[in-house]
Amino acid sequence: MITPRTAGERGHFNFGWLDTSHTFSFGEYHDPRHMGFRALRVINEDRVQPDRGFPTHGHRDMEIISYVLEGALQHRDSLGNGSVIRPGDVQRMSAGTGVTHSEFNPSPREPVHFLQIWIVPDRRGLAPGYEQRAFPEAERRGRARLVASPDGADGSVTIQQDARVYATLLAGGEEVRLPLAAGRRAWVQVARGAVTVNGQAVAEGDGAALTEERAVELAGAGGELADALVFDLP
């Protein structure tokens, strides 16, 4: 069964410096029907204006993944990490027992467009941690590239949950297939462009929950290169 979650159904706020859409309940947006999917708790699509950003704030007991689509995102945290995340990079911050961080658009001219994803860890009270990896376009084009996993397989970032995240770039007609083990669920989030998910059209900003499916079958649809994430979830 495939249950779509269209872009227009998401919670949306425009604060001037930040244009944000929430797939699941977050902050000022609350919908008891959409509190997450399995261990996937948050997918926020954010556009931050030049020279603006999120001041230092805290998190606990959450695996936080940032995936930049356009522009650059500057990160600093209480663990001593400082980095700039660019398109193709995947950053993982394990908040664990507590961490503070800030996120800022360092460009004086260009906005930054990114997805921030929260996954509930398999247990509370873990030690905080941080990783960042680059996954070039060639590694994602026409294939499902593993970018996050519980064991860091294939150079992916390590998350503290039995979940796997794949990134794919698909031109029209290109296809990928990811088998799902018995009892597993999947979520597909289309960041840009359009795809079909097991034959069903899913457009930019849309998500889709897959239950009782044996595989995730994605195909690029339309002229624009599609950028999508697949979450294989317990």
Side-chain angles (χ1 to χ4, degrees):
M1 182 172 66
I2 301 174
T3 305
R5 173 77 162 139
T6 66
E9 294 174 329
R10 298 177 296 179
H12 177 252
F13 301 92
N14 191 334
F15 300 106
W17 68 273
L18 168 67
D19 188 312
T20 181
S21 294
H22 306 326
T23 295
F24 305 116
S25 293
F26 182 87
E28 297 178 28
Y29 170 63
H30 180 76
D31 184 339
R33 299 169 301 169
H34 300 286
M35 297 300 296
F37 181 72
R38 313 296 288 183
L40 180 59
R41 177 60 186 84
V42 166
I43 301 177
N44 290 349
E45 181 178 5
D46 292 341
R47 290 177 171 86
V48 177
Q49 291 301 307
D51 284 326
R52 301 297 299 271
F54 301 91
T56 300
H57 58 284
H59 297 287
R60 294 180 65 91
D61 294 314
M62 199 65 65
E63 301 292 288
I64 300 172
I65 296 171
S66 297
Y67 183 73
V68 172
L69 299 163
E70 295 177 288
L73 184 68
Q74 182 176 297
H75 167 94
R76 291 194 177 96
D77 64 41
S78 56
L79 303 176
N81 299 298
S83 65
V84 176
I85 313 164
R86 304 184 189 279
D89 292 347
V90 173
Q91 179 206 74
R92 182 272 299 170
M93 186 178 73
S94 296
T97 54
V99 65
T100 61
H101 75 139
S102 63
E103 297 159 300
F104 188 76
N105 180 0
S107 172
R109 296 177 299 275
E110 301 296 329
V112 59
H113 179 199
F114 69 103
L115 298 181
Q116 186 164 102
I117 297 145
W118 293 10
I119 294 174
V120 179
D122 57 13
R123 59 195 184 279
R124 299 172 64 87
L126 294 164
Y130 177 90
E131 274 186 288
Q132 184 173 326
R133 298 279 188 272
F135 300 94
E137 181 174 324
E139 295 185 13
R140 295 174 285 140
R141 181 66 188 268
R143 59 174 293 212
R145 176 61 163 97
L146 183 67
V147 298
S149 68
D151 56 1
D154 200 20
S156 59
V157 301
T158 304
I159 53 176
Q160 306 299 317
Q161 179 55 266
D162 182 21
R164 289 161 182 81
V165 185
Y166 298 84
T168 186
L169 299 172
L170 297 173
E174 290 183 327
E175 300 179 356
V176 295
R177 184 180 190 274
L178 283 168
L180 290 174
R184 303 285 291 187
R185 309 289 192 271
W187 183 276
V188 175
Q189 188 69 30
V190 181
R192 288 185 293 195
V195 300
T196 61
V197 180
N198 294 26
Q200 183 166 323
V202 183
E204 185 168 300
D206 292 353
L210 285 77
T211 58
E212 299 179 359
E213 297 283 334
R214 300 181 66 180
V216 181
E217 298 176 348
L218 298 181
E224 182 183 357
L225 189 66
D227 192 338
L229 296 176
V230 180
F231 300 84
D232 180 343
L233 301 161

